[in-house]
Every structure is written in C-alpha cells, then in structure tokens.
Amino acid sequence: EREAEAAGQAAERFLADGLMHEATRAQTAEAAAVELAASLDAGASEMKQFVTVAREKASEITVLCARSCVLKAMELSDQTGADARLNKRIERLLRGFREQLAGKESEVLDACGGKGANPLAFACERALLVVS
C-alpha cells in the first residue's frame, strides 16, 4: 500500500513537471502495487481460513485419539480388573491435552460411560474438568 501511495505521488509530481512518460510509468507502478496489495490481502484471508480448518481438524483428531485411549483403557480394565495405575496414566495423558479438548470433554467422557460411571470416568473428569 505504501508503494502504491509513493508511486501515485510520484505520478502527480511527474505530471506537474510535464513529464508524461515518467508519469505513465509511475501510474502503472501504482496500479501494480495496488493489485499486489489486494492479492496479498486475499492470500492472507485464505491462509487464515486454512489455519482455522487445520485447528478444527487437529481438535477432531485429538478427540478421536483421546476416545481411543479411553476405550482401550476400559478394555484393559475389563480384562485385568480395575487398575488405579492405568487410570492415573489416562488422567495424566488427558490433562496434557486439556486445552485441545476444551469444549469437547463430554465426547471423551462418553467413551468411558459418562460422568461418575466408574473409576476411569472419575479419572477422566479430574483431567478434563476444571473444578472451581
């Protein structure tokens, strides 16, 4: 935008001095700078959209992975009996992804039977839900 403004000012000075050829070149440079600025603005807007979509996809993948870990922990717990160490490991894992799972806690909690359904559910709640 600054380049376009500078080129426009140069074109005005050239016109005032009667330098038509230089004025035409400055006007062409101004138009090219305006077009480039518009293209960069469109590119930045498109990039922001890509970043938003990428964040949404990353969040979806994080939820799927967390649910998968919880389901596997439940399966292991069913096979070997309730294991406090396993619950603690899942709790630590989920706590590490709390920010990415924000707003989607219920999707993870549903995988372990819902709030308060079993010891694993309690561990997941402790990891995901901030108690005030």
Side-chain angles (χ1 to χ4, degrees):
E1 291 176 3
R2 281 187 250 156
E3 290 177 10
E5 186 178 331
Q9 290 171 355
E12 290 173 10
R13 284 194 310 272
F14 289 141
L15 281 174
D17 293 342
L19 303 170
M20 298 305 287
H21 179 70
E22 287 80 2
T24 302
R25 288 179 51 192
Q27 288 170 339
T28 301
E30 177 185 22
V34 167
E35 186 177 323
L36 177 61
S39 174
L40 291 174
D41 286 344
S45 177
E46 189 175 331
M47 183 63 71
K48 286 179 185 176
Q49 289 175 343
F50 286 141
V51 168
T52 299
V53 169
R55 283 187 179 138
E56 290 169 2
K57 294 298 179 192
S59 177
E60 289 174 23
I61 290 168
T62 302
V63 169
L64 289 173
C65 290
R67 285 180 55 88
S68 178
C69 288
V70 168
L71 291 170
K72 186 63 175 177
M74 287 188 64
E75 181 183 314
L76 290 172
S77 183
D78 287 345
Q79 291 173 0
T80 62
D83 184 359
R85 289 179 305 170
L86 178 61
N87 293 346
K88 280 290 186 191
R89 290 178 75 186
I90 292 294
E91 183 178 345
R92 279 194 314 269
L93 173 78
L94 294 178
R95 189 170 282 134
F97 290 97
R98 184 184 291 169
E99 186 178 321
Q100 293 90 335
L101 295 168
K104 299 184 179 179
E105 295 90 349
S106 63
E107 293 181 45
V108 178
L109 291 172
D110 289 347
C112 58
K115 282 185 169 184
N118 54 52
L120 180 59
F122 284 120
C124 292
E125 287 176 60
R126 284 192 304 270
L128 297 173
L129 304 177
V130 178
V131 179
S132 44

